[in-house]
Amino acid sequence: MPNLTGARAKQRVFLALVLSTLTLAVACLAGRVDADPGGILPSSLHVTGPDEPGTPLVLSALVLAPSGGAPVPGVRLRLYQTDASGHYRRGPFGWELGQARARLGAWLATDAEGRFEVRTILPGGYDDGETPAHIHVECAAAGFPVQEHTLYFEGDERITDGLRRAVLADGRGAVVPLERGTDG
């Protein structure tokens, strides 16, 4: 392959980033958020389209190393969640297909400052009447063990004191506050 310089090299890099983003979008639509798409991942993306029912939610976060708390760039993240009605994905006969086949999810990576942002909707809690709304986040970075976290949302009536204690003791999740932005 020829060595590209100048404007053509920039165009090639841009195309690689666009193709990576398109691959993510296709993977999300196909319910294949269980498999890492590889390649360059964006640090910011939309999980849902404009027609997705539910309350818009922007999740902005900073990933810090456990020792010293320094930001960690390049962390590969897999996020997945239920839709507004509390389902990951429905099969052709109404059967729930489970977390691994979540319809709403994506792969992304933290930027140079360890940040990422996802635009999605507030998920619904499970229809078991007990499990609160939450988003699953899996993190992988060189030199660190793979970690799985669950983010619950303050104000959900299903969050009990027992769940709060369990999340604190486990260290693999959080009950995060919601703040209404100026855009609603």
Side-chain angles (χ1 to χ4, degrees), residues 113-158:
E113 282 115 34
R115 298 183 184 282
F116 70 91
E117 181 177 281
V118 174
R119 293 182 177 270
T120 185
I121 58 154
L122 188 62
Y126 295 167
D127 58 10
D128 63 5
E130 296 177 17
T131 307
H134 59 279
I135 294 179
H136 298 277
V137 182
E138 296 174 2
C139 308
F144 297 95
V146 173
Q147 298 177 26
E148 297 177 19
H149 298 275
T150 305
L151 303 178
Y152 299 96
F153 303 98
E154 200 64 68
D156 188 314
E157 61 193 32
R158 299 179 191 196

Side-chain angles (χ1 to χ4, degrees), residues 150-173:
T150 305
L151 303 178
Y152 299 96
F153 303 98
E154 200 64 68
D156 188 314
E157 61 193 32
R158 299 179 191 196
I159 295 176
T160 63
D161 289 339
L163 176 69
R164 286 180 195 282
R165 284 191 299 276
V167 166
L168 270 173
D170 187 353
R172 295 186 322 149

